[in-house]
Amino acid sequence: MWTKFHRSYLTDGCWSPARPAVFFTSRMDGCLDVWDYMFKQNDPTLSLQVCDEALNCLRIQDSGSLLACGSHSGNVTLLELSESLSQQQRNEKASVTQIFERETKREKILESRYREMKLKERAKSQQEDRAPEEDGENPEELVAEADKNFWFTVEQEKIGIEKKEKAAEQ
């Protein structure tokens, strides 16, 4: 899960104590973003311009119905959240757990694919590094090997001819 690029830096964030699928982020441009994974996963459900200066911190009440936003100049804005953001929905906790487990598995699969690709690239580069060494063997060694093979073949031919001559004499 990831978000789209935004020019303004995030300054703080907190999870809702009442709703496992809801969290809040504050930005340098004074906006508060409300994220609800049960509704949208890649975009904020709600973006609210709280003030014209940077929001530096967020604190949410234990019951999850009040949210305090602190600005750069020290101003605090207290927001009352609607029931849909402060009361847990049916099966929400199980659904959020499934979402995060699925994302964890996806991340592991992507990491293993990345490692596999790196290993393939490394093996390919090592083969390419070895190939010039094999092709570029010392010419003297190649001549010596060819000479050795030639004389071995000549000796085998001589032995074959001698056997034929002995067989013809008998």
Side-chain angles (χ1 to χ4, degrees):
M1 290 183 242
W2 59 87
T3 62
K4 296 176 184 168
F5 173 77
H6 197 279
R7 292 182 187 268
S8 185
Y9 291 111
L10 296 178
T11 56
D12 199 5
C14 66
W15 286 96
S16 169
R19 297 252 340 259
V22 174
F23 69 97
F24 308 91
T25 57
S26 61
R27 300 192 316 224
M28 290 291 290
D29 62 0
C31 282
L32 170 73
D33 289 333
V34 180
W35 299 80
D36 185 351
Y37 273 177
M38 299 300 288
F39 185 65
K40 288 183 183 179
Q41 291 184 2
N42 295 330
D43 292 316
T45 303
L46 173 68
S47 287
L48 180 67
Q49 183 75 36
V50 176
C51 62
D52 292 331
E53 57 189 0
L55 288 177
N56 287 345
C57 63
L58 297 174
R59 294 296 179 265
I60 191 162
Q61 181 189 25
D62 290 339
S63 67
S65 60
L66 295 175
L67 178 69
C69 305
S71 71
H72 181 68
S73 64
N75 294 327
V76 176
T77 304
L78 188 63
L79 302 169
E80 184 177 2
L81 302 174
S82 67
E83 286 183 12
S84 63
L85 291 174
S86 61
Q87 292 181 358
Q88 187 170 341
Q89 298 174 359
R90 193 173 42 137
N91 298 327
E92 180 176 358
K93 191 171 186 175
S95 297
V96 169
T97 302
Q98 288 176 346
I99 289 170
F100 288 141
E101 286 175 355
R102 183 188 69 228
E103 287 298 313
T104 301
K105 287 178 185 176
R106 186 178 74 84
E107 293 256 338
K108 288 180 181 178
I109 290 169
L110 290 174
E111 286 175 5
S112 66
R113 284 184 183 169
Y114 177 75
R115 275 187 256 127
E116 185 179 308
M117 288 173 50
K118 282 292 196 185
L119 286 172
K120 284 182 180 179
E121 287 177 14
R122 191 176 304 146
K124 186 178 178 182
S125 67
Q126 286 175 353
Q127 286 177 350
E128 289 173 355
D129 290 345
R130 288 182 191 156
E133 292 173 5
E134 292 170 1
D135 293 342
E137 288 183 9
N138 188 350
E140 293 175 9
E141 291 176 6
L142 290 173
V143 170
E145 184 70 28
D147 192 41
K148 179 181 169 185
N149 289 338
F150 172 75
W151 289 113
F152 178 76
T153 305
V154 169
E155 289 297 321
Q156 293 298 320
E157 289 292 323
K158 279 185 182 180
I159 292 171
I161 292 172
E162 290 174 1
K163 283 183 183 179
K164 285 181 187 177
E165 288 177 355
K166 286 184 183 178
E169 290 176 5
Q170 292 177 353

